[in-house]
Amino acid sequence: MAEKKQPQVATDSIPSFMQRIDWWRKATFGMFIHYGLYSLLGRHEWIMNRERIPLAEYEKLAAKFTAENFDPRSYARLAREAGMKYVIMTTKHHEGFCLFDTALTDYKSVNSAAGRDLIREFADAVRAEGLGLGFYYSMMDWHHPDGARCLHDEAARQRFVEYTHGQVRELMSNYGKVDILWYDVPWPLKPDGWDSLGLNYMVRSLQPHILINNRSLLPEDFGTPEQKVEAMAPYRAWEACLTMNDTWCWNYADHNWKSVKDILGLLVQSARGGGNLLMNIGPKPDGTVPQESVERLQAVGKWLERHGEAIYAMERARTEWNAGGVSTVKGNVMYYHCRNWFGSELTLGGIESKVRRVWLLTTGQEVDFTQTFEPTQQLKMRGLPEESPDEHMAVIAIECEGSPRQRLGAGHVWLDGVLPLEGAGIF
Ligand code: GLC
């Protein structure tokens, strides 16, 4: 292999992990966007591979890719309205078509019917809205001639790795400050084959504040549970990514939309485990956002206006699930999210911390309560409204003396700071 040019980087100029991750932990909620040639076919972003569409035929989509209503300001505005704090978009998905102006291939939106660098517009729009900017980049590439050959052919591997590193360098050099680099599918190489270490070293030399996910096969800054909310080991930052229906890209036949309540439930579970939620939208062929996504995200945003303090920047909760809900925790307060509303009285068992004050976060109403520790731990709340004060999910704030702790035993192993995300059956 040719002598490797080590990028010049003063590593002491890279902020510590705690400094870099701070805004992202507080952000809690982000938007994912899947848009590409596959959007035109409207079935699946894996369509080229799943239907074995010949490359020459698939490439013709570029001539039809007009993106005439692609307006990333509308994405960024929607994200802000939804209470999301950062936006991550596909710069190149597995199909290999680039939405950014790369010098390394002609297969790009600049040369398509659209004739635009969509990522440039996207980056400007996201920053203008004051949100964090993230680039998704698929390492797997079905279009590049060496994308699969690299597995068995060393010369091909060198060419393909040079291509990949070159494109990532372009993304890190030509679009101003980038906050997140979100790799995807590193097939078919291993970390050594990709030189992932050198790749990410280069990325950090160009973007010292950046956060990098774990999909270049190195752990880097955060883990990425997909289509499920699952807390990772304590002290590991994580972000669950989920689709709003079943498909990442626009799919005209997929009507399996999550309800607002479902999305809030995912958000609660993420916040409860000290993680982030990355909720996806798949713009239509022309670039507009499906109305189903717009409506849901706006409703989530409205709910967050009132309940945001129970969602953003939460600690990993040392609390349990109760009938009808689970809680998030910050400081001395546990926020109990009522997925089911049982009426004017509610009892929570197992709270070991002394409760000082209870109020309905949803309305501000103070709530009467009694708390016993002997013979059993019960917090009984009375005088609550008969009907849920929120159409999706009301929240009750419970302030304790010290950090809220709740233990309900029954064979459950409860260790300080370690909590399996129970109540998943509820949310
Ligand atoms: C999977 C899919 C890909 C999607 C990604 C999002 O890796 O292969 O299509 O973009 O999940 O996390």
Side-chain angles (χ1 to χ4, degrees), residues 32 34 45-46 93-94 136 182 184-185 215 226 241 248:
F32 211 0
H34 277 70
E45 73 280 357
W46 276 71
H93 204 264
H94 313 335
Y136 164 107
W182 214 100
D184 198 15
V185 189
R215 295 194 182 183
E226 179 171 322
C241 55
W248 293 99

Side-chain angles (χ1 to χ4, degrees), residues 4 7 35 47 87 90 107 127 138 146 152 161 188 190 197 210 223 227 254 281 368-369 374 389 398:
K4 231 192 272 164
Y35 189 50
I47 201 74
V87 190
T90 48
Y107 200 44
R127 274 193 292 257
S138 170
D146 297 319
H152 305 293
V161 167
K190 302 237 158 39
L197 208 57
I210 205 163
Q227 295 293 35
D254 180 356
I281 60 167
D368 280 342
F369 67 92
E374 295 292 338
I398 301 165

Side-chain angles (χ1 to χ4, degrees), residues 37 61 78 124 130 134 137 176 193 225 229 231 249 295 299 301 314 352 380 382 403:
L37 295 183
L61 290 169
L78 178 62
D124 291 345
Y137 182 85
V229 177
C249 75
E295 283 163 12
M314 305 312 278
E352 296 179 330
K380 285 181 182 277
R382 296 194 181 77
S403 179

Side-chain angles (χ1 to χ4, degrees), residues 152-163:
H152 305 293
D153 175 338
E154 174 56 17
R157 187 195 66 81
Q158 287 185 25
R159 284 191 302 267
F160 187 47
V161 167
E162 198 174 314
Y163 177 78

Side-chain angles (χ1 to χ4, degrees), residues 245-246 251-258 292 296:
N245 46 3
D246 292 335
N251 175 349
Y252 59 81
D254 180 356
H255 307 295
N256 195 22
W257 298 98
K258 293 177 176 63
E292 291 88 342
R296 283 161 178 76

Side-chain angles (χ1 to χ4, degrees), residues 341-355:
W341 188 264
F342 294 135
S344 62
E345 294 190 3
L346 178 68
T347 300
L348 300 184
I351 297 179
E352 296 179 330
S353 329
K354 178 145 179 34
V355 173

